[in-house]
Amino acid sequence: MPDQCLSGCGPAYTAISYTTGTGTPTNTTTPTTPTAPTTTTTTPAGVSCTATAAVTSTWNGGYQLQFTVRNTGSAPVSGWTTSFSFADTQQVTNSWNAALTQTGRAVQAANQSYNGTLAAGATTTWGAVVTGSAQPVSGLACAAR
């Protein structure tokens, strides 16, 4: 017997009672379908922005876009993201003043560290060189934080 049990030890096992039966086992749990986690983003009061786009030059096979982001709220913006879609197979080949990603026709551009803070009424610009024919972008939106 171990030394720690000289003054008394608990039982060597724990008894478990169970009942057996006959028949087909049944599942008493209901399977659940996994759901995607939800994310709630709250924009501070007085924070909003708009974005506009303009073609500033064109050439055979490409063109340049300039975007203007404006803080339209009454409070400073600490960052912004613009998003839009191309009409066709246009591709961004270069951009400046924004961190840009493109998936198919969808494009998203976020501020850089040096141009994210905008006072109420202030603007900043970013641009892109695009291959393909110059066509208006669709769904241009701006989200401020």
Side-chain angles (χ1 to χ4, degrees), residues 7-8 41 44 76 91 105 111 118 128 130-131 136 139:
S7 62
T41 303
Q91 291 289 311
R105 295 179 180 181
N111 64 274
L118 297 175
V130 182
T131 60

Side-chain angles (χ1 to χ4, degrees), residues 18-140:
Y18 59 92
T19 307
T20 60
T22 60
T24 306
T26 59
N27 183 357
T28 58
T29 60
T30 304
T32 59
T33 304
T35 57
T38 57
T39 302
T40 304
T41 303
T42 304
T43 302
V47 174
S48 63
C49 65
T50 60
T52 56
V55 175
T56 57
S57 64
T58 62
W59 56 88
N60 189 21
Y63 60 103
Q64 181 175 315
L65 279 170
Q66 178 173 304
F67 295 84
T68 301
V69 176
R70 177 180 301 279
N71 177 352
T72 55
S74 58
V77 167
S78 63
W80 50 265
T81 303
T82 58
S83 58
F84 64 91
S85 292
F86 284 121
D88 202 5
T89 58
Q90 293 89 346
Q91 291 289 311
V92 174
T93 59
N94 191 13
S95 66
W96 53 95
N97 293 341
L100 190 132
T101 58
Q102 180 175 357
T103 305
R105 295 179 180 181
V107 178
Q108 189 170 46
N111 64 274
Q112 295 286 1
S113 60
Y114 55 84
N115 66 350
T117 301
L118 297 175
T123 63
T124 190
T125 61
W126 68 273
V129 173
V130 182
T131 60
S133 62
Q135 298 178 24
V137 298
S138 64
L140 181 57

